[in-house]
Amino acid sequence: MIHPHYRRYMCPSRMTSDRSSMVARQVVGLGDELADNTLVRESQALLEASESAADLEDERRMQRESRSGDNTNEFDTVADASVHQLFDDMTGTLKYLVATKDLRAKAVERFEERHFATGVGYITAARYETQLHRMERLVEDANGPSAALVDGLGWRRKVEAIEAAIGPYREAIAARQRVTSNDVREAQDAMHVALCRLLGYVLWAYAGRPELRERLLAPVDDQQDRIAAMMRARRAGRSTVVDEAAVADEAEAREGPVEGPSDEERVQAEAPDVEGGAAEAGPEAAEGAPASDVAPGGPGDGQADGPSDGQAEGDSDPGARLQPVRWP
């Protein structure tokens, strides 16, 4: 009879970067304890892949958030505040100049027409790239043709505040274009391939040593069971976020509370089933791409310390069997 490990891990569930990192750190320690250099190397490869994926996911998330609303963007908040500071001073000063029939009122009105045609929102409510361009034009004018007016009315420090905000503003806009959804998906795929390599090595190298094999796979078993519980809850008809109680009910006899889903796992739990009804949407489902149905490659090369061949034993429910990733 085929042991469930050999049935289950031919199609392992995709894991999020935080789960993969946790598994890798635990197995690295076990590899050191067993003096299995190949196990350590494959675990470290998974750790590096998970950290790389996490970095790209964070940057991609920041890029998406930078499009969602100005009140969440520090770079835009600072820039808007600096523009408001000058605009408020300018409008107050203009009222005073008009009331006192100061000849500089006309120059201020022309400055306002050039840079605040429809009010302060002409800059602060514009698209990011447009706002950047209009801020740059304002500063160029204030440092050039209108420099005497700016200095005479005491606006220099306010103009300098706008100028100081331009650099971070430009960098933040550029950062929004640095990481694409394909970049994130490729990093997540590489992370899953590293998991498959690690599992393939353990299943091969420790085929005849079931106690050690189960100890090495325990961290993976734990995370795979949690993912399977969420997917079972989803297939049971829960269309909203799977809560902790629902997952705990499916996790069966697991000690302690079961953690709630991460943002990526909420996407997994809410995504529609793919063909066959048993496939899992990967963390990249937020970008709309299904997991591939091509089997991953085998384990990496290298010599292990002490493993021997042997027949796998036992048979039971293989657990969640979800779609693997395409081998790059």
Side-chain angles (χ1 to χ4, degrees), residues 36 41 56 71 77 83-84 89 108 114 122 139 180-181 189 195 201 213 229 234 239 242 244 251 267 278 300:
D36 186 335
R41 184 173 64 250
L56 287 176
N71 59 346
T77 301
V83 172
H84 269 281
D89 195 336
V108 173
R114 286 196 300 274
Y122 184 71
V139 170
T180 68
S181 59
D189 287 351
L195 172 67
Y201 170 72
R213 186 184 67 241
R234 188 196 72 179
S239 59
V242 180
E244 181 175 322
V267 174

Side-chain angles (χ1 to χ4, degrees), residues 68-137:
S68 63
D70 290 349
N71 59 346
T72 63
N73 305 326
E74 183 177 352
F75 73 91
D76 191 76
T77 301
V78 172
D80 286 357
S82 66
V83 172
H84 269 281
Q85 182 177 233
L86 174 62
F87 180 80
D88 293 343
D89 195 336
M90 182 190 67
T91 54
T93 299
L94 181 57
K95 289 180 181 179
Y96 176 78
L97 295 177
V98 170
T100 59
K101 296 181 173 54
D102 192 307
L103 296 179
R104 293 175 295 178
K106 289 295 183 181
V108 173
E109 288 175 350
R110 289 193 295 269
F111 185 87
E112 181 178 13
E113 289 172 359
R114 286 196 300 274
H115 304 295
F116 300 97
T118 57
V120 70
Y122 184 71
I123 293 180
T124 61
R127 291 170 57 90
Y128 289 132
E129 292 78 4
T130 302
Q131 176 168 343
L132 175 62
H133 174 64
R134 290 174 179 173
M135 288 168 60
E136 289 173 333
R137 285 183 59 232

Side-chain angles (χ1 to χ4, degrees), residues 51-245:
E51 291 177 344
S52 177
D55 289 342
L56 287 176
E57 288 163 1
D58 287 344
E59 190 164 351
R60 181 67 177 170
R61 187 177 300 112
M62 289 175 64
Q63 291 175 191
R64 288 199 301 268
E65 289 172 354
S66 74
R67 298 183 179 96
S68 63
D70 290 349
N71 59 346
T72 63
N73 305 326
E74 183 177 352
F75 73 91
D76 191 76
T77 301
V78 172
D80 286 357
S82 66
V83 172
H84 269 281
Q85 182 177 233
L86 174 62
F87 180 80
D88 293 343
D89 195 336
M90 182 190 67
T91 54
T93 299
L94 181 57
K95 289 180 181 179
Y96 176 78
L97 295 177
V98 170
T100 59
K101 296 181 173 54
D102 192 307
L103 296 179
R104 293 175 295 178
K106 289 295 183 181
V108 173
E109 288 175 350
R110 289 193 295 269
F111 185 87
E112 181 178 13
E113 289 172 359
R114 286 196 300 274
H115 304 295
F116 300 97
T118 57
V120 70
Y122 184 71
I123 293 180
T124 61
R127 291 170 57 90
Y128 289 132
E129 292 78 4
T130 302
Q131 176 168 343
L132 175 62
H133 174 64
R134 290 174 179 173
M135 288 168 60
E136 289 173 333
R137 285 183 59 232
L138 186 154
V139 170
E140 182 179 353
D141 185 11
N143 290 336
S146 299
L149 179 68
V150 168
D151 291 333
L153 295 175
W155 296 347
R156 179 55 57 192
R157 292 182 62 184
K158 295 177 176 61
V159 170
E160 289 174 350
I162 297 174
E163 190 170 11
I166 286 176
Y169 199 98
R170 186 186 297 112
E171 291 177 4
I173 291 176
R176 293 165 63 234
Q177 309 303 329
R178 288 176 187 161
V179 178
T180 68
S181 59
N182 284 336
D183 293 333
V184 175
R185 190 175 299 115
E186 288 175 3
Q188 291 168 339
D189 287 351
M191 176 177 66
H192 189 65
V193 167
L195 172 67
C196 292
R197 287 174 60 96
L198 173 61
L199 293 173
Y201 170 72
V202 172
L203 294 177
W204 166 77
Y206 294 88
R209 306 170 71 178
E211 292 184 0
L212 274 179
R213 186 184 67 241
E214 290 179 7
R215 183 183 174 195
L216 291 171
L217 293 180
V220 189
D221 286 339
D222 178 53
Q223 298 303 327
Q224 294 282 304
D225 286 344
R226 293 175 188 271
I227 295 171
M230 294 182 64
M231 301 307 295
R232 286 197 297 271
R234 188 196 72 179
R235 289 192 291 271
R238 298 181 179 91
S239 59
T240 57
V241 174
V242 180
D243 60 21
E244 181 175 322

Side-chain angles (χ1 to χ4, degrees), residues 1-5 7 312-318:
M1 300 295 286
I2 300 176
H3 190 276
H5 276 153
R7 297 175 62 188
E313 74 290 351
D315 191 16
S316 64
D317 178 15

